[in-house]
Amino acid sequence: MTAAVPERHVVLRAANERIALRLPARGLVAIGILGALLLAIWALSLTLGSYDIDLATLVTTLSGTTVSPPIDNVVWQFRMPRALVAALAGAMMALSGGAMQNVTRNGLADPSLIGISQGAALAVVSAIVVFPQLNFGWRPVIAFGGALGVAVLVQVLSFQRRGNNTIRFILLGIGVSAFISSITSAMLTYGDLDRAMSALSWLAGSVNAATWTDVHILSAWCLVLVPLILALSRIMSVLRMGEDTAIGLGASVRWARYGLICVGVGFAAAATAIVGPLGFVGLIAPHAARRIARSGIGIHTLLTGLCGAVLVSVADLIGRAAFAPIQLPAGLITSIIGVPVFIYLLQRASAKSHL
């Protein structure tokens, strides 16, 4: 028998040593690797396309030197906002999935699977079709309302006094998603053609038309929601032990659930309002982060966001470059990747329930 090797930790202390953080070295290394991978994907996204740009020219352009006006325009007005929006939307959908999985104690919870993304999509499509003159800045707020309503509905319908039932929760989520999607399709079918086409292109889950305005909106929501989910990370770790244990440790379980649901819905609604539904990102990213490095909930939350950013950035790069000149929406690529992962996780959950 071999003795278990203790995990190494890095201790960070404030100047006055009143605050100290003990962080797992493996988690910090994983964050660094994922950050470097994301930068590499951004470099590829900025250089590849119908107008290829070599790496030296890209570095010169990013440093602020104008090589030529067309290159400046391609990099700063088209590719840079697209790359940033893909990463931000991916991170937000991933964090939404992580929050929902913690609040439901259900590893299969995903914004697109349990109807949250569809609720946001229905609210935004309704606004586009019925109120086309509505200011674009209201989309995240409208999406938040639709997503929150669906989240509450699924939670109420799946509630059981004997505890949460994973299969019941997922089936109800899928049923509500299908019902909402049918309403959305009916609105697109019988609505004005120009408005329907505008909504349809958005529903594909694409970052093709990303602008700096989108970057600013997503960044503003992240500045509000990321500190909130990090502040809730400690109580998230307590909720993992079960509701009875959390109450015994003095946690306010009811308000913690409300807070996590609102934060998770906020992440999904803001991302969906800008780029449309991105399937399975919130399902895959938390599990990938857990496989990469087992760590505390705080580091796991950061890893989850980075995994989501990498996943959507890669999906957008594949959809844009692999089938050029045809561009596939990132939402289609993430769904192709996510379906096998979902089937595997569902089978594993079903096997555990029979043990």
Side-chain angles (χ1 to χ4, degrees):
M1 296 179 64
T2 58
V5 178
E7 186 176 357
R8 295 181 179 180
H9 289 78
V10 176
V11 179
L12 302 178
R13 290 185 175 88
N16 55 11
E17 296 196 358
R18 291 185 178 181
I19 300 175
L21 297 175
R22 186 170 179 264
L23 305 174
R26 185 176 178 181
L28 294 177
V29 171
I31 289 175
I33 292 174
L34 285 174
L37 179 60
L38 185 59
L39 290 176
I41 295 169
W42 279 350
L44 287 174
S45 298
L46 294 175
T47 54
L48 296 180
S50 57
Y51 191 102
D52 287 335
I53 302 172
D54 61 82
L55 190 58
T57 303
L58 175 64
V59 172
T60 303
T61 303
L62 293 178
S63 66
T65 303
T66 300
V67 177
S68 70
I71 292 178
D72 261 20
N73 192 44
V74 168
V75 171
W76 290 112
Q77 299 304 319
F78 294 101
R79 294 183 184 174
M80 181 63 79
R82 180 171 181 165
L84 292 176
V85 165
L88 287 170
M92 294 175 78
M93 292 299 291
L95 291 172
S96 174
M100 298 308 297
Q101 288 177 18
N102 274 281
V103 77
T104 61
R105 296 184 63 208
N106 189 328
L108 296 176
D110 172 71
S112 63
L113 193 62
I114 61 176
I116 292 177
S117 295
Q118 286 78 1
L122 175 60
V124 174
V125 168
S126 301
I128 292 174
V129 174
V130 180
F131 306 105
Q133 72 279 3
L134 191 68
N135 188 283
F136 181 82
W138 284 99
R139 274 192 186 183
V141 179
I142 295 170
F144 179 81
L148 184 61
V150 173
V152 172
L153 177 63
V154 174
Q155 278 287 92
V156 170
L157 292 176
S158 63
F159 176 78
Q160 288 182 320
R161 292 185 179 275
R162 293 174 296 175
N164 290 328
N165 186 309
T166 298
I167 305 301
R168 175 185 173 88
F169 179 82
I170 294 303
L171 291 178
L172 279 169
I174 292 173
V176 171
S177 300
F179 177 70
I180 293 173
S181 297
S182 65
I183 297 176
T184 306
S185 299
M187 295 193 69
L188 294 174
T189 301
Y190 297 105
D192 181 77
L193 182 59
D194 292 336
R195 301 175 189 176
M197 290 302 296
S198 173
L200 192 61
S201 61
W202 170 82
L203 278 172
S206 175
V207 295
N208 291 352
T211 64
W212 283 107
T213 301
D214 300 334
V215 175
H216 297 153
I217 292 174
L218 291 178
S219 299
W221 279 77
C222 282
L223 287 175
V224 174
L225 295 174
V226 170
L228 288 177
I229 197 170
L230 291 176
L232 290 168
S233 62
R234 178 168 295 183
I235 202 164
M236 284 166 64
S237 62
V238 176
L239 286 175
R240 284 183 172 184
M241 303 177 188
E243 187 172 327
D244 294 337
T245 303
I247 293 173
L249 292 172
S252 180
V253 173
R254 176 180 295 180
W255 291 107
R257 288 184 182 277
Y258 291 159
L260 283 172
I261 288 174
C262 287
V263 170
V265 168
F267 275 124
T272 303
I274 299 301
V275 303
L278 293 171
F280 297 99
V281 177
L283 174 71
I284 298 172
H287 290 279
R290 200 170 293 116
R291 290 293 183 92
I292 290 172
R294 293 192 174 275
S295 57
I297 191 67
I299 295 294
H300 177 261
T301 300
L302 295 176
L303 286 172
T304 297
L306 282 171
C307 286
V310 169
L311 177 60
V312 176
S313 296
V314 169
D316 179 55
L317 180 61
I318 292 173
R320 180 165 62 88
F323 305 98
I326 299 173
Q327 294 198 18
L328 299 180
L332 176 61
I333 305 297
T334 58
S335 296
I336 292 173
I337 298 171
V339 168
V341 176
F342 169 66
I343 293 173
Y344 165 73
L345 293 174
L346 186 61
Q347 288 180 336
R348 192 175 69 173
S350 182
K352 285 183 177 180
S353 66
H354 286 88
L355 291 177

Short mmCIF file of all heavy atoms in Angstrom, two decimals, residues 115-128 142-144 146-147 150 180-181 184 187-188 199 202-203 268-269 272-273 276-277:
data_model
loop_
_atom_site.label_atom_id
_atom_site.label_comp_id
_atom_site.label_asym_id
_atom_site.label_seq_id
_atom_site.Cartn_x
_atom_site.Cartn_y
_atom_site.Cartn_z
N GLY A 115 -35.38 24.70 -18.83
CA GLY A 115 -36.31 25.71 -19.33
C GLY A 115 -35.96 27.15 -19.03
O GLY A 115 -36.67 28.06 -19.47
N ILE A 116 -34.87 27.40 -18.28
CA ILE A 116 -34.53 28.78 -17.93
C ILE A 116 -34.18 29.58 -19.19
O ILE A 116 -34.66 30.70 -19.39
CB ILE A 116 -33.37 28.81 -16.92
CG1 ILE A 116 -33.85 28.24 -15.58
CG2 ILE A 116 -32.85 30.22 -16.73
CD1 ILE A 116 -32.78 28.15 -14.52
N SER A 117 -33.31 29.01 -20.04
CA SER A 117 -32.95 29.70 -21.28
C SER A 117 -34.16 29.87 -22.19
O SER A 117 -34.33 30.91 -22.84
CB SER A 117 -31.86 28.91 -22.01
OG SER A 117 -30.67 28.90 -21.27
N GLN A 118 -35.03 28.85 -22.21
CA GLN A 118 -36.22 28.95 -23.06
C GLN A 118 -37.18 30.02 -22.54
O GLN A 118 -37.83 30.72 -23.33
CB GLN A 118 -36.93 27.59 -23.12
CG GLN A 118 -36.24 26.55 -23.97
CD GLN A 118 -35.04 25.91 -23.28
OE1 GLN A 118 -34.73 26.22 -22.12
NE2 GLN A 118 -34.37 25.01 -23.96
N GLY A 119 -37.30 30.14 -21.20
CA GLY A 119 -38.13 31.19 -20.64
C GLY A 119 -37.61 32.57 -20.99
O GLY A 119 -38.38 33.47 -21.34
N ALA A 120 -36.28 32.73 -20.90
CA ALA A 120 -35.67 34.00 -21.29
C ALA A 120 -35.88 34.26 -22.78
O ALA A 120 -36.18 35.39 -23.19
CB ALA A 120 -34.18 33.98 -20.95
N ALA A 121 -35.73 33.20 -23.58
CA ALA A 121 -35.91 33.35 -25.03
C ALA A 121 -37.33 33.75 -25.38
O ALA A 121 -37.57 34.62 -26.23
CB ALA A 121 -35.53 32.05 -25.74
N LEU A 122 -38.31 33.11 -24.72
CA LEU A 122 -39.71 33.44 -25.00
C LEU A 122 -40.01 34.90 -24.65
O LEU A 122 -40.69 35.62 -25.40
CB LEU A 122 -40.64 32.52 -24.20
CG LEU A 122 -42.14 32.82 -24.31
CD1 LEU A 122 -42.62 32.73 -25.75
CD2 LEU A 122 -42.94 31.87 -23.42
N ALA A 123 -39.49 35.36 -23.52
CA ALA A 123 -39.73 36.75 -23.12
C ALA A 123 -39.12 37.72 -24.13
O ALA A 123 -39.76 38.72 -24.51
CB ALA A 123 -39.14 36.98 -21.73
N VAL A 124 -37.90 37.42 -24.58
CA VAL A 124 -37.24 38.32 -25.53
C VAL A 124 -37.92 38.27 -26.90
O VAL A 124 -38.12 39.31 -27.54
CB VAL A 124 -35.73 37.98 -25.64
CG1 VAL A 124 -35.08 38.81 -26.73
CG2 VAL A 124 -35.04 38.23 -24.31
N VAL A 125 -38.28 37.07 -27.36
CA VAL A 125 -38.97 36.95 -28.66
C VAL A 125 -40.30 37.68 -28.62
O VAL A 125 -40.69 38.37 -29.58
CB VAL A 125 -39.17 35.46 -29.02
CG1 VAL A 125 -40.13 35.32 -30.20
CG2 VAL A 125 -37.84 34.82 -29.38
N SER A 126 -41.01 37.57 -27.50
CA SER A 126 -42.27 38.29 -27.36
C SER A 126 -42.06 39.79 -27.48
O SER A 126 -42.83 40.50 -28.13
CB SER A 126 -42.92 37.96 -26.01
OG SER A 126 -43.16 36.57 -25.89
N ALA A 127 -40.97 40.26 -26.85
CA ALA A 127 -40.67 41.70 -26.92
C ALA A 127 -40.30 42.11 -28.34
O ALA A 127 -40.72 43.17 -28.82
CB ALA A 127 -39.53 42.04 -25.96
N ILE A 128 -39.53 41.26 -29.05
CA ILE A 128 -39.12 41.58 -30.42
C ILE A 128 -40.33 41.62 -31.36
O ILE A 128 -40.46 42.52 -32.19
CB ILE A 128 -38.08 40.56 -30.93
CG1 ILE A 128 -36.77 40.72 -30.14
CG2 ILE A 128 -37.82 40.75 -32.42
CD1 ILE A 128 -35.74 39.66 -30.48
N ILE A 142 -35.95 41.90 -19.41
CA ILE A 142 -37.10 41.10 -19.85
C ILE A 142 -36.76 39.62 -19.78
O ILE A 142 -37.58 38.79 -19.32
CB ILE A 142 -37.50 41.50 -21.28
CG1 ILE A 142 -37.99 42.95 -21.30
CG2 ILE A 142 -38.57 40.57 -21.84
CD1 ILE A 142 -38.17 43.51 -22.69
N ALA A 143 -35.56 39.26 -20.22
CA ALA A 143 -35.13 37.86 -20.17
C ALA A 143 -35.07 37.35 -18.74
O ALA A 143 -35.42 36.20 -18.45
CB ALA A 143 -33.76 37.72 -20.84
N PHE A 144 -34.63 38.20 -17.81
CA PHE A 144 -34.56 37.82 -16.40
C PHE A 144 -35.94 37.46 -15.87
O PHE A 144 -36.12 36.47 -15.15
CB PHE A 144 -33.94 38.95 -15.57
CG PHE A 144 -33.84 38.64 -14.10
CD1 PHE A 144 -32.79 37.89 -13.61
CD2 PHE A 144 -34.79 39.10 -13.22
CE1 PHE A 144 -32.70 37.60 -12.26
CE2 PHE A 144 -34.70 38.83 -11.87
CZ PHE A 144 -33.65 38.07 -11.39
N GLY A 146 -38.61 36.39 -17.57
CA GLY A 146 -39.06 35.12 -18.14
C GLY A 146 -38.32 33.93 -17.56
O GLY A 146 -38.92 32.89 -17.26
N ALA A 147 -37.00 34.06 -17.38
CA ALA A 147 -36.20 32.95 -16.85
C ALA A 147 -36.56 32.67 -15.40
O ALA A 147 -36.65 31.50 -14.98
CB ALA A 147 -34.71 33.29 -16.97
N VAL A 150 -39.87 30.70 -15.08
CA VAL A 150 -39.74 29.28 -15.41
C VAL A 150 -38.99 28.53 -14.31
O VAL A 150 -39.35 27.40 -13.95
CB VAL A 150 -39.02 29.11 -16.77
CG1 VAL A 150 -38.74 27.64 -17.04
CG2 VAL A 150 -39.87 29.69 -17.88
N ILE A 180 -42.62 25.68 -23.73
CA ILE A 180 -42.24 27.08 -23.99
C ILE A 180 -41.71 27.23 -25.41
O ILE A 180 -42.02 28.21 -26.10
CB ILE A 180 -41.20 27.53 -22.96
CG1 ILE A 180 -41.83 27.59 -21.57
CG2 ILE A 180 -40.64 28.91 -23.32
CD1 ILE A 180 -40.84 27.86 -20.47
N SER A 181 -40.93 26.25 -25.87
CA SER A 181 -40.38 26.31 -27.23
C SER A 181 -41.50 26.29 -28.27
O SER A 181 -41.41 26.96 -29.31
CB SER A 181 -39.42 25.14 -27.47
OG SER A 181 -38.31 25.22 -26.61
N THR A 184 -42.94 29.73 -28.44
CA THR A 184 -42.01 30.59 -29.18
C THR A 184 -42.11 30.35 -30.68
O THR A 184 -42.13 31.30 -31.47
CB THR A 184 -40.56 30.35 -28.70
OG1 THR A 184 -40.50 30.51 -27.29
CG2 THR A 184 -39.60 31.30 -29.37
N MET A 187 -45.21 31.95 -32.10
CA MET A 187 -45.06 33.40 -32.25
C MET A 187 -44.25 33.74 -33.49
O MET A 187 -44.54 34.70 -34.21
CB MET A 187 -44.40 34.00 -31.01
CG MET A 187 -45.24 33.88 -29.75
SD MET A 187 -44.61 34.90 -28.41
CE MET A 187 -44.98 36.52 -29.05
N LEU A 188 -43.21 32.93 -33.76
CA LEU A 188 -42.39 33.17 -34.94
C LEU A 188 -43.15 32.85 -36.23
O LEU A 188 -42.96 33.49 -37.26
CB LEU A 188 -41.12 32.34 -34.87
CG LEU A 188 -40.13 32.69 -33.75
CD1 LEU A 188 -38.98 31.69 -33.71
CD2 LEU A 188 -39.59 34.09 -33.95
N ALA A 199 -35.78 37.64 -34.79
CA ALA A 199 -35.76 36.80 -33.60
C ALA A 199 -35.16 35.43 -33.89
O ALA A 199 -34.45 34.86 -33.05
CB ALA A 199 -37.18 36.64 -33.06
N TRP A 202 -31.42 35.32 -33.82
CA TRP A 202 -30.94 35.42 -32.44
C TRP A 202 -31.12 34.10 -31.70
O TRP A 202 -30.29 33.71 -30.88
CB TRP A 202 -31.72 36.54 -31.75
CG TRP A 202 -31.51 36.61 -30.27
CD1 TRP A 202 -30.47 37.19 -29.62
CD2 TRP A 202 -32.37 36.09 -29.27
NE1 TRP A 202 -30.63 37.07 -28.25
CE2 TRP A 202 -31.80 36.40 -28.02
CE3 TRP A 202 -33.59 35.40 -29.30
CZ2 TRP A 202 -32.40 36.03 -26.82
CZ3 TRP A 202 -34.18 35.05 -28.10
CH2 TRP A 202 -33.58 35.36 -26.89
N LEU A 203 -32.20 33.35 -31.98
CA LEU A 203 -32.48 32.09 -31.29
C LEU A 203 -31.47 31.00 -31.61
O LEU A 203 -31.41 29.99 -30.90
CB LEU A 203 -33.89 31.60 -31.66
CG LEU A 203 -35.06 32.22 -30.90
CD1 LEU A 203 -36.37 31.76 -31.51
CD2 LEU A 203 -34.99 31.84 -29.43
N ALA A 268 -27.90 33.41 -16.66
CA ALA A 268 -28.47 32.81 -17.87
C ALA A 268 -29.28 33.81 -18.67
O ALA A 268 -29.21 33.83 -19.90
CB ALA A 268 -29.34 31.61 -17.48
N ALA A 269 -30.05 34.66 -17.98
CA ALA A 269 -30.90 35.62 -18.68
C ALA A 269 -30.08 36.64 -19.43
O ALA A 269 -30.37 36.96 -20.60
CB ALA A 269 -31.83 36.31 -17.68
N THR A 272 -28.38 34.89 -22.43
CA THR A 272 -29.37 34.53 -23.44
C THR A 272 -29.90 35.77 -24.16
O THR A 272 -30.15 35.74 -25.37
CB THR A 272 -30.54 33.76 -22.79
OG1 THR A 272 -30.03 32.60 -22.13
CG2 THR A 272 -31.55 33.32 -23.84
N ALA A 273 -30.07 36.86 -23.42
CA ALA A 273 -30.59 38.08 -24.04
C ALA A 273 -29.64 38.61 -25.10
O ALA A 273 -30.09 39.21 -26.09
CB ALA A 273 -30.81 39.15 -22.96
N GLY A 276 -28.53 34.64 -27.38
CA GLY A 276 -29.49 33.57 -27.60
C GLY A 276 -29.14 32.36 -26.76
O GLY A 276 -28.13 32.32 -26.06
N PRO A 277 -29.96 31.30 -26.82
CA PRO A 277 -29.72 30.11 -26.01
C PRO A 277 -28.44 29.38 -26.43
O PRO A 277 -28.17 29.19 -27.61
CB PRO A 277 -30.95 29.23 -26.30
CG PRO A 277 -31.97 30.16 -26.85
CD PRO A 277 -31.23 31.23 -27.59
#
